[in-house]
Amino acid sequence: MMSNVREILITREELNKKVKELGAIISKDYKGQELMLIGVLKGGFVFLADLIREITIDIDLDFMSVSSYGSSTKSSGVVRIIKDIETNIQEKHILIVEDIVDTGLTINYLKGIIMARGPKSVKVCAMLDKPSKRKTNIELDYKGIEIPDEFVIGYGLDYDGKFRNLPDLCILDSVAYQK
Ligand code: IMP
């Protein structure tokens, strides 16, 4: 498994520190409000699991699953909902929790769908931000760590379905795919 890793980009300790900071800010900002987190599967599940344990206010939780790249490392721009949320969100403040924002197409699309359902507010929290290939002007309300334009794996992120279980965020070795 490690033969596909070029290098560690962000260690588990650095990730953990940033998640703690985000959890504290979110807890403060939403104090006294009805907050529901919507986790974006599959990549966001590790971040989400860490983040909710750093949030000190009551929260609701639901999930959406969308398809992104298939087995490629480049965004197709085509977003397909595989699993939708099961909750009525009209009286809630929504925070969409994403693993990584690259072109921004996925989160832009998701935010649009959720806003159309009439919640009190919709904000976005992304652990990783890869701004160099952005194709939308989506605002990241809560942002973890900005990273360079490399294809990363681990901490929930996959390449072709694998490597989600690496505890550190790593750069995929380019011999593993055709750029
Ligand atoms: P976007 O629509 O281009 O912003 O891409 C968002 C989705 O693509 C993320 O939710 C990830 O699932 C996937 N993605 C983007 N960059 C990477 C990466 O470097 N490694 C693994 N998945 C990625």
Side-chain angles (χ1 to χ4, degrees):
M1 182 156 80
M2 294 303 282
S3 64
N4 288 292
V5 171
R6 195 171 87 204
E7 63 188 87
I8 292 178
L9 183 65
I10 305 169
T11 63
R12 63 196 83 177
E13 291 80 14
E14 290 173 272
L15 292 163
N16 190 257
K17 186 166 167 272
K18 186 48 80 175
V19 174
K20 279 191 190 326
E21 286 172 23
L22 287 172
I25 299 169
I26 291 166
S27 305
K28 189 164 151 277
D29 288 359
Y30 286 95
K31 198 168 176 205
Q33 299 181 15
E34 281 219 35
L35 174 63
M36 183 166 129
L37 304 191
I38 298 182
V40 184
L41 300 173
K42 295 177 186 170
F45 81 101
V46 174
F47 171 44
L48 184 74
D50 283 350
L51 182 68
I52 58 168
R53 287 175 291 169
E54 301 297 339
I55 294 179
T56 52
I57 56 169
D58 285 344
I59 55 157
D60 282 326
L61 189 61
D62 208 334
F63 297 94
M64 283 183 97
S65 179
V66 295
S67 71
S68 55
Y69 294 170
S71 63
S72 160
T73 56
K74 299 225 170 72
S75 180
S76 63
V78 177
V79 180
R80 192 162 57 94
I81 293 185
I82 295 162
K83 183 212 170 295
D84 206 340
I85 50 170
E86 293 159 14
T87 326
N88 183 335
I89 59 173
Q90 274 182 352
E91 293 307 310
K92 310 247 163 89
H93 292 282
I94 303 298
L95 185 60
I96 307 173
V97 179
E98 253 285 31
D99 50 358
I100 186 165
V101 176
D102 185 8
T103 62
L105 292 168
T106 306
I107 197 67
N108 203 38
Y109 178 79
L110 276 179
K111 190 174 177 186
I113 294 181
I114 291 166
M115 279 172 74
R117 295 176 184 176
K120 284 186 171 162
S121 69
V122 184
K123 287 191 174 175
V124 174
C125 174
M127 181 59 197
L128 303 164
D129 181 20
K130 236 175 12 177
S132 52
K133 293 250 178 69
R134 198 72 99 247
K135 290 186 184 155
T136 63
N137 52 10
I138 183 95
E139 190 185 333
L140 305 183
D141 304 283
Y142 301 95
K143 190 163 98 167
I145 302 173
E146 205 170 290
I147 62 166
D149 184 24
E150 297 279 2
F151 197 84
V152 287
I153 50 175
Y155 198 65
L157 285 101
D158 74 309
Y159 170 64
D160 205 9
K162 298 201 174 61
F163 313 116
R164 295 191 195 276
N165 52 324
L166 295 174
D168 305 295
L169 189 78
C170 303
I171 298 180
L172 179 69
D173 198 325
S174 58
V175 298
Y177 64 94
Q178 303 287 322
K179 272 204 167 176

